[in-house]
Amino acid sequence: MKNKILLTLILLNLTAFSATEPSSAIEKLKLQELAKTYPKEKIEKSLKGYKNIKTESSEDLSHKAVLVDLNITSVEMLNQKNYSTITEYVFDFLDNNENSLGNIFDKNIFEKVLVKWNNVVPAKDDLLLEKLNVALANGLMTGYNLKNINNYANFDKNLSVSYGHNDVTHAIQLIALLKGEGIDAKVQLEPKTSAFLHNPNWGAPNYTHIILEDGKIVVTPTEYDLKFQFSNNNDKIKFTKLIDLYAKKDSKDQEGLIYKSWWQPFIQTDKIEGYQMLISHLVKNGDFEANVLTLPKNSKAFIDFMKKGSDLKIITQEIWVNPAFYRFMDGDYK
């Protein structure tokens, strides 16, 4: 989401002056009635070790007990009057732009991902699809994704990656892999209708596909982008390395990879070392938006074609992709 990291830093840097006090947090989180249900015994149990338990009012103590029970803060932090995690939690709660299924460490994250995938409604917009399919047939790009913007994660792009695939078991195993490596992150699954040129070196296509007049094969699967927002840049870098180790196929019968790993995994993010730059073209019509990636040298031709005879507006931005996907964009298959 826009400027989120900056706003969070401001909140943390001004903690001593503008931190969210426990009682204020209870009000903003709309938990006042819950706090009133806490009897003395429950408060004392939740706040065991809190140094001011005999001097503060029962109301203030009940507010702190609720926040501890919800794992928003701890007794240790309360003793230090460190309200940073409370401030961050309230900030996230009030930020309605963010759209996530939960976190990797959540016990029910697999269930949430499966439910989201099993209820996917494929994105379809006739105006966009007609133009995009002609552009694809004319060789102006290698493929496109079409999404409903209401599924967007709206995560902080500085801490996020987008990982594309088409099999939900792969997604579950990837999340489990990250959890096993001790990496937590916010998670969102963004369904997408995809179309891209099939490379014959991949073998026979396993998805719905069409054959163009020149013999090229265009596959049209329903896929997804898994969006992850990490708590720090180091975890994001660890993610990219784990994909190379456990989710990238280098030989036909390679073992030791998670389910249905691709020859060329698809990761896009902001600039990181070793990644290659592409141009992302966002073309929106109503609730639907297409994302088309091209090499920089091919961008102008695609934009000119899409604008010809239409009122479509195109937003371009630089994005960075993993080396294997960049090789796909340049005609390679590994």
Side-chain angles (χ1 to χ4, degrees):
M1 69 205 52
K2 291 182 179 180
N3 300 321
K4 181 174 179 181
I5 192 167
L6 177 60
L7 290 172
T8 302
L9 286 172
I10 291 173
L11 284 168
L12 295 178
N13 289 334
L14 296 179
T15 293
F17 305 100
S18 59
T20 304
E21 297 279 341
S23 293
S24 177
I26 291 295
E27 181 180 354
K28 291 176 179 178
L29 297 173
K30 300 185 184 302
L31 297 173
Q32 301 98 314
E33 290 76 16
L34 174 64
K36 290 178 181 178
T37 69
Y38 270 52
K40 180 180 178 181
E41 296 77 13
K42 187 173 183 178
I43 292 173
E44 291 177 346
K45 180 180 178 181
S46 299
L47 296 181
K48 184 178 180 180
Y50 182 51
K51 63 184 181 181
N52 295 328
I53 198 163
K54 294 183 178 181
T55 59
E56 293 185 6
S57 69
S58 58
E59 182 179 30
D60 287 344
L61 291 172
S62 69
H63 293 168
K64 291 181 172 70
V66 168
L67 296 174
V68 169
D69 286 350
L70 294 176
N71 292 318
I72 296 173
T73 188
S74 67
V75 171
E76 291 75 16
M77 295 186 78
L78 291 174
N79 280 334
Q80 299 167 12
K81 291 192 175 182
N82 181 347
Y83 302 147
S84 59
T85 58
I86 299 175
T87 303
E88 290 178 72
Y89 189 93
V90 171
F91 178 75
D92 274 342
F93 179 83
L94 296 176
D95 185 356
N96 295 321
N97 291 319
E98 190 175 276
N99 185 15
S100 74
L101 294 175
N103 280 55
I104 288 174
F105 283 3
D106 292 348
K107 291 182 179 180
N108 62 346
I109 190 63
F110 296 157
E111 177 187 356
K112 289 183 177 180
V113 170
L114 284 170
V115 169
K116 181 71 179 282
W117 179 248
N118 290 335
N119 288 281
V120 164
V121 176
K124 184 178 181 180
D125 183 277
D126 292 338
L127 173 64
L128 290 176
L129 290 174
E130 182 179 357
K131 283 289 262 187
L132 292 168
N133 286 335
V134 174
L136 183 60
N138 289 338
L140 296 174
M141 37 92 157
T142 58
Y144 63 82
N145 302 143
L146 183 67
K147 295 180 181 180
N148 187 318
I149 62 174
N150 295 305
N151 289 311
Y152 280 2
N154 298 320
F155 287 161
D156 175 4
K157 67 178 184 178
N158 296 298
L159 294 172
S160 301
V161 300
S162 176
Y163 180 82
H165 206 274
N166 64 354
D167 190 282
V168 72
T169 300
H170 182 89
I172 296 299
Q173 291 195 9
L174 175 57
I175 293 170
L177 174 66
L178 294 173
K179 183 179 259 186
E181 293 292 326
I183 298 175
D184 195 14
K186 294 177 183 178
V187 181
Q188 173 64 327
L189 186 144
E190 297 180 355
K192 62 185 182 182
T193 297
S194 298
F196 55 89
L197 294 175
H198 178 78
N199 191 311
N201 292 298
W202 294 340
N206 297 320
Y207 323 113
T208 304
H209 62 278
I210 58 176
I211 301 176
L212 304 179
E213 291 182 0
D214 60 3
K216 292 179 180 177
I217 299 174
V218 178
V219 295
T220 56
T222 298
E223 300 186 316
Y224 60 78
D225 283 330
L226 265 183
K227 296 296 180 78
F228 296 105
Q229 180 179 306
F230 302 97
S231 58
N232 57 71
N233 196 58
N234 286 338
D235 282 350
K236 185 169 77 169
I237 300 301
K238 289 178 184 176
F239 168 85
T240 65
K241 295 183 183 301
L242 288 170
I243 295 299
D244 289 339
L245 285 172
Y246 301 113
K248 186 199 177 311
K249 184 187 292 188
D250 290 311
S251 61
K252 184 177 180 181
D253 298 316
Q254 184 176 347
E255 297 183 351
L257 302 177
I258 61 176
Y259 185 74
K260 287 195 175 180
S261 294
W262 283 354
W263 291 96
Q264 293 164 303
F266 179 25
I267 305 171
Q268 57 178 323
T269 183
D270 60 343
K271 188 175 183 179
I272 59 176
E273 185 177 356
Y275 274 40
Q276 301 290 326
M277 191 262 283
L278 295 175
I279 302 299
S280 168
H281 307 77
L282 300 175
V283 191
K284 184 179 177 184
N285 185 45
D287 283 342
F288 295 95
E289 186 171 66
N291 182 18
V292 177
L293 302 180
T294 72
L295 298 172
K297 64 182 180 181
N298 299 331
S299 177
K300 185 177 185 304
F302 172 74
I303 293 172
D304 291 344
F305 173 82
M306 292 299 290
K307 287 185 174 180
K308 187 176 181 180
S310 76
D311 296 325
L312 293 172
K313 294 182 180 180
I314 302 173
I315 299 174
T316 61
Q317 58 186 12
E318 296 179 351
I319 59 103
W320 275 259
V321 298
N322 53 311
F325 185 80
Y326 188 84
R327 290 193 291 273
F328 162 72
M329 295 292 294
D330 212 19
D332 199 354
Y333 79 100
K334 285 188 177 179

